[in-house]
Amino acid sequence: MATDERIQKYEHKMQKTLDGLVKEYSTIRAGRANPHILDKITVDYYGSPTPLQQVANIMVPEARMIQIQPWESSLIKEIQKAILASDLGLNPNNDGKVIRLVLPELTEERRKELVKDVKKKGEAAKVAVRNVRRDANDSFKKLAKQDVSEDEIKELEDKIQKSTDKYVKEIDKAVEEKSKEIMTV
């Protein structure tokens, strides 16, 4: 296997870690209405749990309001139940046709809690990236038994370290951006 292919396999895992973190951050509420906070909510649709986005139109008509318009009015009660059962802490208002979620202003204390959570998730992502590096280095060391020179192994280890540094920086940047977004009033 070529050097680049070996590195790419591990870089792909690191990229998936970063993508997962960014996706998770999109579900964290930060003052402004963001329809992605509803991504994890599923609704009982004819007996099967279905993502909310697949049974309703979700809009953001105002900075702190999300409007959900089900394609079938019979789903209003189910959607309301699913939102109340979620950990979002939002109280849905429905007028029989649409559900409105008014997002309250975040308190300073809640903002700080969210930032702590964001940093914790960032740390977990960095640990995952470093674990990928460790796995890569372990696999590179095993190459010595397959007549791969020490210089080549050293080169692979250097490349995987550069990738690790790059992804750790990206994670730090994502953490900082999300923290800033949360703390902005």
Side-chain angles (χ1 to χ4, degrees):
M1 198 178 341
T3 308
D4 287 343
E5 286 177 29
R6 288 188 181 109
I7 296 291
Q8 275 181 333
K9 179 174 110 180
Y10 294 106
E11 273 193 339
H12 181 69
K13 289 180 179 179
M14 291 179 183
Q15 183 63 49
K16 280 175 74 172
T17 300
L18 177 63
D19 294 346
L21 179 70
V22 169
K23 187 172 171 29
E24 198 166 349
Y25 279 176
S26 73
T27 66
I28 296 176
R29 182 164 79 84
R32 286 184 274 333
N34 178 350
H36 289 293
I37 66 169
L38 303 172
D39 284 356
K40 295 178 183 171
I41 295 182
T42 56
V43 179
D44 184 28
Y45 184 62
Y46 295 108
S48 69
T50 309
L52 182 57
Q53 292 82 343
Q54 293 181 16
V55 296
N57 190 14
I58 300 170
M59 297 170 287
V60 181
E62 294 173 29
R64 287 188 21 241
M65 181 191 289
I66 297 176
Q67 187 172 306
I68 305 163
Q69 187 164 16
W71 291 318
E72 295 177 29
S73 55
S74 61
L75 285 171
I76 284 218
K77 291 267 185 268
E78 284 297 325
I79 292 171
Q80 200 166 359
K81 202 185 315 176
I83 292 169
L84 286 169
S86 75
D87 61 354
L88 292 174
L90 296 173
N91 198 8
N93 302 319
N94 99 51
D95 64 6
K97 288 186 172 62
V98 294
I99 294 175
R100 287 182 187 81
L101 298 173
V102 178
L103 305 175
E105 215 30 80
L106 292 173
T107 64
E108 187 69 20
E109 191 178 311
R110 181 69 180 131
R111 286 179 195 277
K112 286 178 180 168
E113 279 176 31
L114 286 172
V115 168
K116 250 188 234 171
D117 190 40
V118 161
K119 287 179 179 172
K120 196 165 73 181
K121 287 178 169 138
E123 275 310 309
K126 286 196 263 188
V127 167
V129 166
R130 290 181 188 122
N131 286 342
V132 171
R133 176 191 60 196
R134 187 197 60 222
D135 294 346
N137 285 336
D138 289 349
S139 77
F140 299 155
K141 284 182 178 94
K142 289 177 185 162
L143 293 174
K145 296 172 188 151
Q146 299 172 8
D147 295 328
V148 175
S149 74
E150 279 185 29
D151 289 345
E152 285 178 282
I153 291 171
K154 183 74 181 124
E155 184 185 332
L156 286 169
E157 288 174 346
D158 289 346
K159 282 184 177 179
I160 202 71
Q161 183 60 50
K162 282 183 181 137
S163 294
T164 302
D165 294 343
K166 178 182 123 187
Y167 282 100
V168 165
K169 260 191 203 137
E170 292 278 325
I171 290 168
D172 284 338
K173 194 172 125 191
V175 167
E176 185 157 333
E177 285 173 3
K178 191 62 181 182
S179 298
K180 203 162 122 184
E181 179 187 335
I182 289 170
M183 291 311 287
T184 304
V185 179

